[in-house]
Amino acid sequence: MPWSVVNDADGLPRVILTEPGGSSAEVLLYGGQVVSWKNDRREELLYVSSKAVQKPPKAIRGGIPICFPQFANFGSLEQHGFARNRIWLLDSCPSPLPPARNQSTVDLILKSSEEDLKSWPRSFELRLRISLSPGKLTFIPRVRNTDSKAFSFTFALRNYFSVSDVSEVRVEGLETLDYLDNLMQRERFTEQADAITFDGEIDRVYLSTPTKINIIDHQKKRTLVLRKEGMPDSVVWNPWDKKAKDIPDFGDDDYKTMLCVDSAVVETPIGLKPFEEWRGRQELSTVSSSYCSGHLDPQRVLQG
């Protein structure tokens, strides 16, 4: 393997991905979770809670955790499923993908354990390829049914983005869409705004979303672009001030500088027959946003 696995002070082994342009990413084997993504100017693009508990069996608050085989409490399992608090292994045979041969790509695998089969009696293989390139971080998750019976699951890549001031952020691409409001017992509404802005708690599952969503950070003059395939839903979450104080591993003021915009499969679970495989894809990238008469240059954002 061209990259190395290091053990930091917290004792959790992690893979450091680098690329010649100067950007980097850190991936924990615990949870298969990206906990850092820095651009070529060494600016951190992901949020990790100031109170995150980086010790098993607690899931780590922040970065990009993997929600499988259940998103949130849409089912009978623990919140967001168990994949995010299991030790993943390096995958040396990610067929049909070619083996990774550079310092900017890593392949991970999680197989069903005896413990998992007690709570979710279905045999599976969950694979994840994470690739770093200049200005871009790409994920290819795959789930294979290795059981003798069909099963279904929900899934999400929960993206905790670092933002300058959430009240100055706009999310574009979800306008006019239906969403389930988790603050209103999952009642279904239709988005009326031309862009989503933030002035209070939000917890929504947007349905049948486009393959591209823009998270525009006015203060940083930067747009995070989320492109996705195979994950039709998008979850937008920020706890705001009151809820933040009630979450033990979340800093009281952290809500101001973070925003979750997830790639997800929530409303319609994925069904797999024995030996079938599902594949998704998520690509995160950044583009500079320039001001024009106090507004973002739409061409830079739409073409980015």
Side-chain angles (χ1 to χ4, degrees):
M1 296 292 180
W3 31 254
S4 59
V5 178
V6 300
N7 286 282
D8 283 357
D10 54 26
L12 295 176
R14 65 187 66 203
V15 174
I16 311 297
L17 301 181
T18 58
E19 55 83 21
S23 64
S24 66
E26 297 184 17
V27 187
L28 294 180
L29 296 187
Y30 179 61
Q33 184 167 339
V34 173
V35 290
S36 175
W37 174 34
K38 294 180 180 178
N39 62 19
D40 56 359
R41 296 184 296 277
R42 309 305 296 155
E43 296 170 331
E44 181 59 65
L45 302 171
L46 300 179
Y47 157 86
V48 175
S49 171
S50 58
K51 292 185 177 179
V53 179
Q54 300 201 16
K55 185 177 182 181
K58 180 70 176 175
I60 296 169
R61 173 78 63 183
I64 305 179
I66 313 298
C67 304
F68 172 88
Q70 174 184 299
F71 176 76
N73 57 356
F74 283 74
S76 59
L77 298 175
E78 61 193 274
Q79 176 88 354
H80 291 316
F82 48 72
R84 64 183 185 146
N85 48 26
R86 296 288 186 269
I87 299 294
W88 292 49
L89 301 175
L90 298 170
D91 186 7
S92 59
C93 186
S95 179
L97 298 179
R101 301 190 185 280
N102 55 53
Q103 295 178 344
S104 57
T105 298
V106 66
D107 289 294
L108 302 176
I109 185 170
L110 179 69
K111 296 183 180 182
S112 46
S113 66
E114 289 186 15
E115 180 184 357
D116 299 332
L117 290 169
K118 291 176 183 176
S119 60
W120 199 63
R122 297 150 182 88
S123 181
F124 68 88
E125 292 178 352
L126 170 55
R127 286 181 160 87
L128 180 65
R129 167 165 286 192
I130 304 168
S131 299
L132 177 73
S133 56
K136 194 175 295 183
L137 189 63
T138 304
F139 298 76
I140 302 177
R142 294 182 289 150
V143 177
R144 176 174 288 273
N145 182 347
T146 56
D147 207 291
S148 59
K149 298 179 181 178
F151 64 67
S152 61
F153 62 93
T154 53
F155 183 92
L157 294 172
R158 192 148 179 80
N159 304 304
Y160 283 84
F161 294 117
S162 173
V163 298
S164 54
D165 178 352
V166 72
S167 64
E168 297 292 325
V169 169
R170 290 167 58 91
V171 176
E172 297 185 349
L174 303 177
E175 52 276 5
T176 75
L177 298 180
D178 285 359
Y179 64 87
L180 306 177
D181 193 333
N182 290 322
L183 303 180
M184 300 283 287
Q185 291 75 51
R186 295 185 189 148
E187 190 174 344
R188 194 180 186 113
F189 297 92
T190 300
E191 182 59 61
Q192 302 295 331
D194 60 357
I196 301 170
T197 55
F198 305 93
D199 58 5
E201 182 181 359
I202 186 171
D203 188 355
R204 298 175 181 174
V205 181
Y206 285 84
L207 308 173
S208 302
T209 59
T211 57
K212 180 182 176 184
I213 299 168
N214 294 317
I215 300 102
I216 304 166
D217 191 329
H218 290 264
Q219 197 166 313
K220 289 186 177 179
K221 297 184 180 180
R222 180 174 70 204
T223 296
L224 283 157
V225 181
L226 187 161
R227 292 180 172 88
K228 59 188 178 62
E229 300 169 11
M231 293 175 278
D233 305 321
S234 296
V235 183
V236 179
W237 180 75
N238 183 292
W240 221 249
D241 54 349
K242 185 177 180 181
K243 180 71 70 65
K245 291 179 171 64
D246 294 334
I247 302 174
D249 61 348
F250 198 96
D252 289 356
D253 293 324
D254 284 8
Y255 75 93
K256 298 176 182 177
T257 56
M258 61 75 61
L259 179 66
C260 278
V261 181
D262 308 339
S263 299
V265 182
V266 179
E267 185 184 37
T268 304
I270 295 163
L272 292 178
K273 296 175 183 177
F275 306 109
E276 282 188 336
E277 182 175 277
W278 165 82
R279 181 191 293 201
R281 179 184 176 88
Q282 172 179 275
E283 179 188 287
L284 304 177
S285 59
T286 61
V287 295
S288 297
S289 305
S290 58
Y291 279 87
C292 179
S293 301
H295 297 284
L296 288 162
D297 179 353
Q299 292 303 114
R300 294 292 301 277
V301 175
L302 294 174
Q303 296 174 3

